[in-house]
Amino acid sequence: MSKSADIAALFNQYVMHTYSPSVTLTSGHGCKVRDADGKTYLDFTAGIAVLNVGHTHAKVVKAVQDQAAALIHSSNLFYTPNQALLAQRLSKLSLGGKCFFCNSGAEANEAMVKLARLWGHEKGKFEVITMRNSFHGRTLAMCAATGQSKVQKGFDPLPLGFAHAAFNDLESVRGLVNARTVAVMVEAVQGEGGLIPATPEFMTGVRKLCDEKGLLMLCDEIQCGMGRTGHWFGWQKYGIKPDAFTLAKSLASGVPMGALVAAPSLSDVFHPGNHASTFGGNPLACATALAVIDVIEEEGLVKRAGEAGALFREGLQALVDKYEKAIEVRGEGLMLGLVVEGPAKDVVTACREMGLLCCTAGENVVRFLPPLNAKDDELEEALEMVGDALEQVYHPES
Ligand SMILES: *Cc1c(COP(=O)(O)O)cnc(C)c1O
């Protein structure tokens, strides 16, 4: 039995079967990872858009090591310098208001919805309009917010207070607004939903509608934020500002962290006792996130995501032109999907055999989320493997 097989057997005996993991990873650097049997892969999942600066970036590792040796955790009973500095960085990059820190994406979205509800409470407003095909996390409330029945099935009764509009259909959103509506929540690029960008008309239309009706516009930037789309935050492409948005995945490069970032108008809605998180914004996570922001700035990775994204998209488009069953390239920056006819997981499996890790988004989209500092030759190597995988899946006899 190989080392990977031993580990998988132990895993399957003692870890609940909520996932279907494939290879057993033991180390990584940059875009490359190694499995327990010594095989290396190009990692174009980047931990599902978590490792925007790549695996074990020297500056991130140093920040983790230094902070771990100084103070890992303190609780929010005390001030810590890096939480203040991180909030300042995020504020200056975005809305100029204040932040709340937590530990995951779902938790950040929960905080954002709680903030909206508290803001609307005196006026009797609580309902949040979210989009069909969206993804906002796996807590009970975020299962209710998510516009996909597959995450909800079997968990009813779900929390009330969410309504689902059609994505990229402003009239559908408008049609759901009523006296109870407090906010509209949207992803600039739907990630789990299949790498679908919001149209400019939709994003600017939602902003205008929210202004007209006195609603909050909330953005879930958990997958598309932190430079991935070629902008620091996905909403920046549209020339609008939301009233608040959430971050998680790539914020601290794999040290679990989420954030709610608010405009000044929403920055003083929460008061002591309204909301909390024991680990939220702890010294280790904040030091790491500060290092991640430094790396993104120093290495020009926001711009690089746009350039690398254009290169990778062009290569995928060539495959669409070549293979009838490769239908379309979708997405933004380095958040790209290849829509295929038939199960995307067959292509993902074939890519893995070639040495490229990617993942699916829904049934028929192959999702590519490389580190933003992937080099041109790594992008080209990956494209070759995708080509070989398509050849294997769609022309098996040649
Ligand atoms: C991953 C994701 C979430 C959930 O984040 P968790 O950290 O898994 O709770 C929410 N929204 C979007 C857009 C995501 O991609």
Side-chain angles (χ1 to χ4, degrees), residues 197-271:
T199 61
E201 307 76 60
F202 184 67
M203 284 297 264
T204 54
V206 167
R207 179 67 275 178
K208 208 160 146 249
L209 178 69
C210 287
D211 290 341
E212 278 166 24
K213 305 277 184 186
L215 311 176
L216 301 176
M217 180 174 181
L218 309 176
C219 286
D220 178 341
E221 289 278 325
I222 290 162
Q223 191 158 155
C224 63
M226 300 302 286
R228 181 149 292 276
T229 65
H231 304 268
W232 264 107
F233 309 109
W235 49 262
Q236 287 172 323
K237 182 190 168 192
Y238 304 89
I240 53 115
K241 282 186 176 184
D243 297 294
F245 67 97
T246 47
L247 295 168
K249 291 194 164 80
S250 58
L251 179 57
S253 201
V255 175
M257 182 173 221
L260 163 62
V261 185
S265 59
L266 285 180
S267 288
D268 297 301
V269 173
F270 280 148
H271 294 290

Side-chain angles (χ1 to χ4, degrees), residues 114-129:
K114 282 182 76 177
L115 183 78
R117 283 198 181 186
L118 197 57
W119 178 81
H121 193 251
E122 273 181 14
K123 289 173 268 176
K125 291 167 175 283
F126 58 86
E127 198 167 270
V128 177
I129 298 173

Side-chain angles (χ1 to χ4, degrees), residues 46 53 98 108 119 141 157 171 251 298 352 369 375 384:
V53 302
K98 296 180 183 173
W119 178 81
E171 290 319 303
L251 179 57
E298 286 162 15
R352 189 165 65 237
L369 302 161
K375 298 186 199 73
E384 247 171 64

Side-chain angles (χ1 to χ4, degrees), residues 130-159:
T130 64
M131 302 304 135
R132 284 185 217 137
N133 202 40
S134 59
F135 183 79
H136 298 301
R138 298 288 194 152
T139 57
L140 281 171
M142 287 310 118
C143 285
T146 291
Q148 301 189 50
S149 55
K150 70 178 184 197
V151 312
Q152 300 173 342
K153 219 174 144 220
F155 297 112
D156 47 297
L158 291 172

